[in-house]
């Protein structure tokens, strides 16, 4: 699911990939407006499936971090307000979700963005974060 959810630098929020045109993508905002517009190649566009968070020993895919937040919040919106929380509160919150995150390479702005993205996704009914191939691998491993 996260493969078609995009972040576009310089634009707030998240966008869903609708179609591809020549030298551009057609995206739709993930909010009540559902506004569609073209996103061009000169904009920095990244799929949420390609993002990972630094930990002390490796990188953890974003979908694992989002799943951990979902478990902590029991599929509800985040209990912390990223705009009003202090940097210490944000770091404590992430430590509950991802205890071994790299405190030097994960910035407060990253934590704010993570929580904001989680809230956008859950408020718009997107709660399946794991890619299909990961789900299938885990089901096969459980069946053996």
């Amino acid at each position: 699911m996260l493969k078609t959810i995009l972040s576009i630098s310089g634009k707030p929020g998240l966008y869903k990939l609708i179609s591809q045109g020549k030298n551009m993508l057609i995206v739709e905002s993930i909010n009540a407006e559902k506004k569609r517009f073209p996103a061009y190649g000169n904009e920095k566009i990244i799929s949420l499936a390609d993002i990972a968070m630094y930990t002390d020993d490796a990188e953890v895919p974003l979908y694992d971090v989002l799943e951990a937040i979902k478990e902590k919040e029991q599929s509800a919106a985040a209990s912390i307000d990223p705009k009003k929380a202090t940097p210490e509160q944000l770091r404590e919150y992430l430590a509950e979700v991802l205890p071994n995150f790299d405190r030097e390479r994960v910035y407060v702005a990253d934590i704010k963005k993570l929580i904001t993205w989680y809230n956008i996704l859950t408020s718009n009914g997107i709660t399946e974060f794991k890619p299909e191939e990961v789900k299938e691998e885990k089901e096969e491993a459980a069946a053996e």
Side-chain angles (χ1 to χ4, degrees), residues 20-60:
Q20 286 183 291
K22 191 174 183 177
N23 301 329
M24 69 176 171
L25 301 174
I26 305 298
V27 297
E28 179 179 85
S29 62
I30 299 181
N31 58 23
E33 296 170 8
K34 301 278 187 227
K35 186 177 166 197
R36 289 186 181 189
F37 61 91
Y40 297 97
N42 62 348
E43 296 173 294
K44 188 175 178 193
I45 303 168
I46 189 160
S47 165
L48 294 194
D50 296 334
I51 298 174
M53 293 205 72
Y54 294 116
T55 62
D56 294 331
D57 50 353
E59 291 182 4
V60 176

Side-chain angles (χ1 to χ4, degrees), residues 63-76 93 96-97 118 122 127 129-130 138:
Y63 64 81
D64 281 343
V65 181
L66 291 170
E67 283 288 333
I69 294 173
K70 184 171 105 174
E71 282 178 32
K72 177 186 178 350
E73 301 295 350
Q74 297 163 348
S75 298
Y93 183 87
E96 290 175 30
V97 175
Y118 172 80
T122 55
T127 56
F129 303 123
K130 286 201 184 319
K138 288 195 175 180

Side-chain angles (χ1 to χ4, degrees), residues 3-144:
K3 223 167 205 23
T4 59
I5 307 295
L6 308 172
S7 170
I8 303 173
S9 70
K11 296 190 186 322
L14 294 172
Y15 303 89
K16 186 174 197 171
L17 177 64
I18 301 298
S19 177
Q20 286 183 291
K22 191 174 183 177
N23 301 329
M24 69 176 171
L25 301 174
I26 305 298
V27 297
E28 179 179 85
S29 62
I30 299 181
N31 58 23
E33 296 170 8
K34 301 278 187 227
K35 186 177 166 197
R36 289 186 181 189
F37 61 91
Y40 297 97
N42 62 348
E43 296 173 294
K44 188 175 178 193
I45 303 168
I46 189 160
S47 165
L48 294 194
D50 296 334
I51 298 174
M53 293 205 72
Y54 294 116
T55 62
D56 294 331
D57 50 353
E59 291 182 4
V60 176
L62 184 65
Y63 64 81
D64 281 343
V65 181
L66 291 170
E67 283 288 333
I69 294 173
K70 184 171 105 174
E71 282 178 32
K72 177 186 178 350
E73 301 295 350
Q74 297 163 348
S75 298
S79 57
I80 188 169
D81 183 347
K83 290 181 180 151
K84 294 180 181 171
T86 65
E88 293 76 31
Q89 290 171 321
L90 290 166
R91 284 194 178 93
E92 285 172 23
Y93 183 87
L94 186 58
E96 290 175 30
V97 175
L98 188 66
N100 63 337
F101 80 96
D102 189 329
R103 279 144 179 85
E104 290 180 13
R105 295 196 293 178
V106 177
Y107 301 109
V108 173
D110 300 331
I111 301 170
K112 285 183 178 182
K113 192 177 285 186
L114 170 70
I115 295 168
T116 303
W117 285 353
Y118 172 80
N119 286 337
I120 289 170
L121 292 169
T122 55
S123 66
N124 287 284
I126 301 169
T127 56
E128 279 304 315
F129 303 123
K130 286 201 184 319
E132 289 299 315
E133 58 270 10
V134 172
K135 278 191 233 167
E136 289 169 10
E137 287 172 15
K138 288 195 175 180
E139 288 169 7
E140 288 171 11
E144 291 175 0

